[in-house]
Amino acid sequence: MTDPILVEIVEGTLASVEKEVETAIARTARSPMIRDAHDFRAGIHDVRLRKLTGRSYSALVQPIVRDFPIETMKPGDVYFHNDVYLSEGGIGHLPDLCVTVPVFHEGEVVAFVQAFGHHDDIGGSVPGSMPSHARSVYEEGLMVPPIKLRDQGVPNEAALRIMTRNSRMPDSLAGDLDAECSACLMGARRLAELFERYGRQAVEECFDAIIDKTTETFRRELLSKIPEGTYVWEDYAEHDGVDEPRLHAQRITLTVDHSAQAPLTIDFTGTSPQAKGPINHAGDYADGVFLKKWLAPVLRNLADTPERMAELDVNEGVVPLIKMVFPEKGTLLTPIFPAPTNARTFVILRLLGVLAGVLAKATGGRMPADQETIRYTGVYGVDDEGRPYLMREVLGGGSGGRWYADGEDTIHIVPDSRNIPVEFAEARWPLRVERLGLACDSGGPGMFRGGLGYDKHIRMLRNASYMSIADRSILSCWGVNGGLAGRPFRVEINGKEMEGLVDDYPVQAGEVIRIRTTGGGGWGSPYDRDPRAVAADVRDGKVSIAGALGDYGVVLDGDRIDEQATAELRARLRPPADRFFDRGPGYAKLAGGRTHAEVDEL
C-alpha cells in the first residue's frame, strides 16, 4: 500500500512546482497578454502522459511523443508546437504556443513539464493572429508542428528566427518563449529532485494514488448525484464572422449509467456543421481526452458545499469516467483541415454551459446559470514614436447565479487571468482609461442574481483600429430555474454599436470606446429575491431603481422598501409558471421569433 503521507508530500510538491513555473513565467515574460493578463497555463504530466496536477487545464503531451519517441529524448531537450490539427486537440488556435520539457531520472524520462499560453502575434492576416473573418487556418498565422526548440540545451536558432520573422511583435515573442523554456526547465529540475529523494517506484506509485483518488472522489461524491437516464440540451454561437448571424448549435446528449465503467456518456451528435468562419474547434482527437478534462470542472458544482467544490482538482482521474461520442467529420467540433479556428472559444467555452444546462435538467436545477465567456477586445496602431503597438485584453464578465448564492462579478474564465491594469495600459499605449467599473443591471435577475460584467471606457489619444473577437453580443447568458438571462456584450464607438467580430474599425483620436461585457444568468425567480437584497444592490450601484422595479418588482421610496406595494406589484408581474431556461430576447431574433428551444422543455 502506498504511504499516504508520501502521497500528500508528492501531491503538494507537484502543486508547488506547477505554481513556481507559472510564477517564473509571469515574472520574466515580455508580452502584456502573458505577463499582465496571465493568459497561460502550466501542467505536469507523467511518463504515461497523464495530467497529474488539477489546479488548471493544460495542453497535451501526446503530440510530442507521437513525433519524438520517449527513448530518443535527452536532458536539455525542449519541444514546441502550436499546430491546431497536429496537437491531438490540446491547442485551440495558433496564438497558443506550447513548450514541453521532459524530466529525467537516472537517464530515463519520468515526467513532463509543459506550459502554453496566448501570445501577442504569430503572423497571419491581422495583428494578433485572430482574423475574425478568416476562411482558412492559413490566414491565421504560422503553423508549427512539434519540433525541437532546444536540442540538449542548444537553441534551434533557425526555428526561432522563422517564428520571430513572422510575428509583428518579434521581441515579445522571443522574450515569452525564452521565459517559458527557462521556467519549464526549472520545473523539470525540481521534479527530478523529487525522484532523487524518494525513488522512481515510490513516486510513480504516488502518481497512481493521486489519479485514482480523483476518479473515486468524482464517482462517489459527484456523479452519484446525477439520476440515471438520458438528457439532451443545446446552446449556440451566434455568428462566425463570414455568414450572417444565425444559431450554430452545440448539442450534448448525456447518458448516465452508474453501473458502467464510464458512468457518463457525452454524445455531441446534433452539433451544427463546421462554420465557414473561425469558430470551429478540433476536439475529436485522442478520444477527446482534452475535452474530458476541459469539461469535468463543471461537475464540481454537484459537490455538497462550495467549500468542498473548491477542494476538488481535475486531473487525469476524470478521464475514465467519461465516454465521448463525436459526430462525423465536418462539424463545429470535428472540423476538416484547413478550417479556421482562431475564435474557437465560441464553441469550446459554450460547451461548458451546454454541460451545465443538461446537468441542470438532470438534477432539477442544481447547477449555476450561464457564465461569461472570453472575449478579446483591443486596439492597434502606431505610438508617438512611430512604433507599431497592439493592446489586446481578455475582459471577463459575470458568472451565473447559483442555488445558494449570487454569481460573481467580472470573473475571468481562464484561471488566474485578469484585465490589464489601467496604470500599465496608460503608460504603455496612447490611450486613457476613463472608466473601469461594474455594468449596472447587466446581471440576470433572479432569486440569486447573475454576476455583473465590466463597464470600461477607453479614450484614444491617437488614431487607431479597434478589434474584437466576442460572442454573446446578440444572445445572452441564460437564466435557469426561473432566473432570467443577463445582458449581452455591447461596444459603442462614437455612438455606433459594434458587432462582436471586428478586425479593423477605425477610431479617431479623441473618440471613446465604451465596452460593456456580459452579465451572468439569474437563478430562481427574481420575484423570490429578498427585497432587502435588491435594495442593497441599488445602494451598491449593481441594480438601478428602474431595474429594481421592472426586473424584481421591488418598490423603493429612497432607501425604504414599500412592502405592500412590492407585494402587490410582484403578484401582478409574476408569470403563471416560470420557464426553466430563459435565453433572453436575442434568441428570438435568431430563432424566427421562438422564445425557447425544444430541448428547453423538461
Side-chain angles (χ1 to χ4, degrees):
M1 178 179 176
T2 308
D3 182 353
I5 295 176
L6 183 57
V7 172
E8 291 291 325
I9 292 172
V10 171
E11 190 170 21
T13 300
L14 293 173
S16 177
V17 171
E18 181 183 68
K19 182 64 174 176
E20 189 175 1
V21 170
E22 291 195 356
T23 300
I25 292 171
R27 288 180 173 176
T28 57
R30 292 283 299 276
S31 71
M33 187 64 72
I34 300 293
R35 184 187 63 219
D36 299 287
H38 208 272
D39 192 0
F40 69 93
R41 304 271 69 79
I44 299 174
H45 307 253
D46 70 1
V47 73
R48 295 164 59 185
L49 316 184
R50 301 179 301 176
K51 185 173 184 291
L52 301 170
T53 45
R55 190 180 61 85
S56 180
Y57 64 93
S58 68
L60 303 176
V61 182
Q62 279 86 339
I64 304 302
V65 301
R66 178 198 65 213
D67 293 356
F68 295 90
I70 288 177
E71 60 271 17
T72 67
M73 295 179 178
K74 304 292 183 182
D77 286 350
V78 177
Y79 299 89
F80 172 89
H81 72 292
N82 78 326
D83 189 315
V84 171
Y85 289 93
L86 294 179
S87 72
E88 302 290 343
I91 297 294
H93 59 183
L94 297 182
D96 282 349
L97 310 183
C98 185
V99 169
T100 305
V101 172
V103 180
F104 286 84
H105 174 68
E106 295 182 350
E108 294 185 329
V109 176
V110 290
F112 296 90
V113 179
Q114 190 175 74
F116 87 110
H118 188 138
H119 293 248
D120 273 345
D121 189 277
I122 192 68
S125 61
V126 302
S129 309
M130 295 183 67
S132 64
H133 306 299
R135 292 173 176 263
S136 164
V137 71
Y138 294 113
E139 300 173 56
E140 298 178 317
L142 182 68
M143 289 180 284
V144 184
I147 63 169
K148 269 190 185 181
L149 197 59
R150 295 188 185 181
D151 188 348
Q152 299 183 67
V154 179
N156 186 338
E157 297 290 354
L160 287 168
R161 188 177 182 191
I162 291 169
M163 286 189 281
T164 54
R165 179 62 174 168
N166 277 270
S167 175
R168 296 170 178 86
M169 306 289 167
D171 293 339
S172 289
L173 179 61
D176 288 349
L177 285 175
D178 187 60
E180 289 158 354
C181 290
S182 298
C184 287
L185 287 165
M186 177 271 296
R189 292 194 297 271
R190 297 285 189 270
L191 279 183
E193 293 169 0
L194 184 69
F195 282 88
E196 291 169 8
R197 185 175 303 122
Y198 298 108
R200 179 172 182 174
Q201 180 177 342
V203 172
E204 290 186 337
E205 287 175 355
C206 290
F207 290 170
D208 291 339
I210 291 167
I211 290 172
D212 291 346
K213 181 178 69 171
T214 296
T215 303
E216 177 57 27
T217 298
F218 269 68
R219 186 190 297 272
R220 184 184 67 253
E221 294 189 28
L222 305 181
L223 302 192
S224 63
K225 302 267 194 1
I226 312 171
E228 290 194 335
T230 299
Y231 312 92
V232 184
W233 203 64
E234 67 183 30
D235 204 3
Y236 315 94
E238 61 197 21
H239 52 176
D240 73 343
V242 175
D243 287 332
E244 289 298 309
R246 62 182 177 85
L247 298 177
H248 298 264
Q250 294 121 74
R251 173 175 287 210
I252 285 179
T253 299
L254 178 70
T255 301
V256 184
D257 180 359
H258 294 302
S259 65
Q261 183 175 0
L264 298 187
T265 298
I266 296 176
D267 187 344
F268 298 107
T269 302
T271 293
S272 289
Q274 73 181 51
K276 295 177 184 175
I279 65 171
N280 307 289
H281 175 71
D284 58 325
Y285 292 87
D287 296 322
V289 67
F290 176 83
L291 278 181
K292 291 178 183 180
K293 288 177 281 189
W294 171 260
L295 293 175
V298 173
L299 298 169
R300 296 185 299 184
N301 289 284
L302 297 169
D304 288 336
T305 65
E307 293 76 17
R308 180 56 177 156
M309 178 176 67
E311 294 173 351
L312 299 177
D313 282 344
V314 176
N315 57 34
E316 204 76 17
V318 302
V319 170
L321 298 172
I322 302 171
K323 176 184 177 182
M324 285 190 166
V325 178
F326 290 93
E328 294 295 321
K329 282 288 188 181
T331 71
L332 291 172
L333 275 175
T334 60
I336 300 170
F337 180 83
T341 67
N342 75 77
R344 94 293 186 206
T345 51
F346 291 18
V347 168
I348 193 172
L349 292 175
R350 185 67 61 246
L351 285 179
L352 296 170
V354 181
L355 181 57
V358 77
L359 286 170
K361 290 182 69 172
T363 61
R366 194 185 160 94
M367 293 295 289
D370 196 25
Q371 63 190 355
E372 69 95 14
T373 56
I374 287 176
R375 79 270 315 145
Y376 301 89
T377 58
V379 291
Y380 61 91
V382 177
D383 64 18
D384 294 338
E385 298 180 8
R387 297 172 304 191
Y389 73 88
L390 168 65
M391 188 287 284
R392 187 173 53 185
E393 187 170 30
V394 185
L395 274 178
S399 69
R402 299 157 286 183
W403 58 272
Y404 57 88
D406 291 343
E408 298 288 343
D409 302 326
T410 59
I411 61 104
H412 290 245
I413 198 169
V414 175
D416 295 334
S417 66
R418 55 195 73 114
N419 66 328
I420 294 176
V422 170
E423 297 82 1
F424 174 86
E426 293 183 339
R428 185 176 182 116
W429 299 304
L431 55 82
R432 184 166 63 240
V433 179
E434 297 190 341
R435 172 175 169 76
L436 179 61
L438 299 177
C440 182
D441 287 334
S442 59
M447 183 169 71
F448 294 109
R449 174 183 45 72
L452 273 60
Y454 281 102
D455 186 19
K456 186 167 188 175
H457 298 177
I458 301 172
R459 185 178 298 277
M460 297 308 303
L461 304 181
R462 291 179 60 88
N463 294 350
S465 296
Y466 166 77
M467 64 193 316
S468 170
I469 296 286
D471 66 346
R472 293 304 202 211
S473 62
I474 302 173
L475 301 174
S476 300
C477 292
W478 43 265
V480 70
N481 203 33
L484 303 184
R487 297 280 180 87
F489 175 75
R490 182 183 178 91
V491 176
E492 287 187 2
I493 300 176
N494 200 30
K496 178 179 175 60
E497 186 172 349
M498 297 289 102
E499 296 180 350
L501 288 167
V502 181
D503 283 340
D504 54 2
Y505 184 83
V507 187
Q508 304 302 311
E511 291 184 339
V512 177
I513 303 170
R514 292 177 169 86
I515 303 168
R516 182 184 175 107
T517 65
T518 53
W523 193 98
S525 171
Y527 307 120
D528 292 329
R529 185 169 177 82
D530 187 336
R532 292 172 297 180
V534 177
D537 282 341
V538 171
R539 287 194 301 270
D540 293 341
K542 295 186 174 184
V543 173
S544 66
I545 292 177
L549 190 68
D551 294 333
Y552 292 94
V554 174
V555 181
L556 297 174
D557 181 8
D559 290 337
R560 188 181 67 83
I561 301 168
D562 188 328
E563 296 184 4
Q564 181 177 347
T566 294
E568 293 172 354
L569 179 59
R570 284 185 160 185
R572 293 198 304 271
L573 293 176
R574 187 184 293 272
D578 289 320
R579 184 172 295 142
F580 191 72
F581 293 104
D582 177 62
R583 296 183 182 270
Y587 177 78
K589 295 179 183 178
L590 300 182
R594 289 182 288 115
T595 58
H596 65 284
E598 182 180 344
V599 294
D600 293 349
E601 303 295 336
L602 296 181

